[in-house]
Amino acid sequence: MERLYIILLGIIQSEPNDSIDCQIANYLLEHIQDLNDITANDLAQTCQVSKSSISRFTRRVGLNDFYELKHMLHHYQHDLTKFDFTSRSDNKNSMIQYIETVSQHIQDLRYMLDFDAIDEITDDIYYYPKVIIAGSLQANSVCLSLQVDLFSSGKVVQAKVKYTELREIIDKADSQTLIIVLSSTGRFFQRLFVRDQRLLKKDKPKIYLITASAKLNQLPYVDKAINLHTLSDYASGTFQLELIANLIARRYNEKIRTHYFDQ
C-alpha cells in the first residue's frame, strides 16, 4: 500500500488541479479508508470521468487494472505511528528536544560521511552529458534546489519528481546518463518498480543512491550508495538530504572555479 499512496501524493503534487488524474488521486486519498466496496463505475461517476479514464489511470500508476487497485485499497491500514514527527515527550520542551536531535544527526555526518564519494559524484556530474536528479515527496524540494545550485555553476541537469514519468525516464536512460537518487528510506526503486530486474540492462545508466538505509547499499543496479548512517526518525532525513545536496553543489562549484582559474 505504501507504494500506492506515494504515487497518489506525487500525482496531486505534480499534476494540474483540474486534470483527470489529479481528481481521481485526490478522491482516493481523501476516502482511502472507505473504499472497500467501490467499483470502477462508482469511482468514475463520483469523479465525473469515464470508466475508460479509470482504466488509463490505473495503468499510469503502474497497476494492471482496477481490480489490483481495489485489492490494495482493501488492505490499506493507516498507521499514524509510522509518521511520528515529534520527540517522545509531551512537555513544553519537546520542540527543543527535536531541534537538538536533528542537530545531532547533522553533526554525526561530519564523522561518518564518505567525502571521497562526494568528490566522485561531483566529477561524474561534470563529465556525464546527461544528469538526472530524482526523488519523491520529501526529497522533491531537495532535487529542485540541487538543480538550481548546479545551474548556478553552469551545469544543466534534469530534476525529475513526477512519479508517473520516472519509470519511463529511467527505462530509457543509457550509459551516457548519470542518475542521482535522493531517498532517505532507500525504497525509491522498490516503490517505482515492482521488478527491479528491469534496471539490470546492458546499456544501463550510472546510478548513485543517497540514502540512510545501510541494508540497501548492495542493490545490484546501484553503482554507489552514499549512506547517511544516522537517520533515526522520519523528519531528520530531509535535513540530511539537504545537507548532502548542498555539499555536492558546493564541491562542484569549487572544482569548476579551480578549473577556470587554471586556464
Side-chain angles (χ1 to χ4, degrees):
M1 184 59 214
E2 181 190 56
R3 177 172 167 266
L4 178 61
Y5 81 73
I6 291 290
I7 293 173
L8 295 178
L9 288 171
I11 289 172
I12 66 172
Q13 183 183 61
S14 59
E15 296 287 343
N17 289 336
D18 58 352
S19 72
I20 291 176
D21 283 355
C22 188
Q23 293 176 45
I24 297 171
N26 197 62
Y27 179 81
L28 291 174
L29 287 167
E30 289 183 351
H31 302 86
I32 202 163
Q33 298 186 75
D34 306 308
L35 299 175
N36 285 351
D37 300 320
I38 196 168
T39 67
N41 282 329
D42 293 336
L43 183 59
Q45 291 177 11
T46 301
C47 296
Q48 298 182 331
V49 299
S50 66
K51 188 176 178 180
S52 60
S53 294
I54 301 299
S55 296
R56 286 192 293 270
F57 173 83
T58 57
R59 290 193 295 271
R60 276 195 289 268
V61 300
L63 304 178
N64 292 322
D65 50 36
F66 176 78
Y67 296 102
E68 186 176 355
L69 172 64
K70 186 174 179 179
H71 175 78
M72 297 181 77
L73 292 171
H74 180 73
H75 288 86
Y76 176 72
Q77 294 290 330
H78 193 74
D79 182 5
L80 289 176
T81 64
K82 182 174 182 180
F83 300 107
D84 185 359
F85 292 95
T86 66
S87 62
R88 302 296 180 181
S89 173
D90 293 327
N91 61 42
K92 63 182 180 181
N93 293 317
S94 63
M95 287 186 286
I96 295 176
Q97 292 173 10
Y98 169 72
I99 293 172
E100 290 176 346
T101 299
V102 172
S103 298
Q104 185 59 55
H105 290 328
I106 293 174
Q107 284 294 326
D108 289 345
L109 285 176
R110 176 181 178 183
Y111 304 101
M112 303 182 74
L113 185 62
D114 185 349
F115 289 96
D116 289 337
I118 299 296
D119 268 340
E120 182 180 338
I121 199 171
T122 53
D123 287 342
D124 282 342
I125 289 172
Y126 179 81
Y127 287 110
Y128 270 81
K130 186 175 183 180
V131 180
I132 298 172
I133 306 168
S136 61
L137 293 184
Q138 293 86 2
N140 284 4
S141 60
V142 185
C143 293
L144 296 173
S145 178
L146 181 54
Q147 180 190 38
V148 171
D149 288 343
L150 290 173
F151 178 72
S152 297
S153 296
K155 181 68 177 185
V156 178
V157 305
Q158 299 180 44
K160 298 297 183 181
V161 297
K162 190 173 180 181
Y163 226 88
T164 52
E165 294 180 351
L166 280 170
R167 273 190 302 271
E168 181 180 359
I169 290 169
I170 293 177
D171 272 342
K172 292 181 177 180
D174 57 21
S175 59
Q176 297 300 303
T177 304
L178 173 68
I179 298 177
I180 303 167
V181 173
L182 302 170
S183 174
S184 59
T185 65
R187 293 195 294 271
F188 174 87
F189 293 105
Q190 287 84 342
R191 290 167 176 165
L192 195 65
F193 299 106
V194 177
R195 297 179 180 84
D196 296 337
Q197 287 81 1
R198 67 195 296 174
L199 294 167
L200 296 172
K201 55 187 179 180
K202 184 176 180 180
D203 191 30
K204 71 176 290 295
K206 184 170 185 179
I207 298 176
Y208 283 92
L209 174 62
I210 301 175
T211 180
S213 180
K215 65 181 180 181
L216 293 174
N217 285 2
Q218 302 303 317
L219 294 174
Y221 43 82
V222 172
D223 296 277
K224 181 178 283 290
I226 298 177
N227 197 291
L228 309 182
H229 293 290
T230 60
L231 182 65
S232 62
D233 60 72
Y234 179 76
S236 295
T238 305
F239 290 104
Q240 293 174 316
L241 290 179
E242 289 175 354
L243 179 59
I244 297 299
N246 287 338
L247 288 174
I248 290 171
R250 181 183 180 88
R251 187 65 178 131
Y252 185 84
N253 182 263
E254 289 173 351
K255 291 188 175 186
I256 288 296
R257 289 170 63 84
T258 300
H259 173 73
Y260 285 156
F261 292 157
D262 287 343
Q263 297 303 306

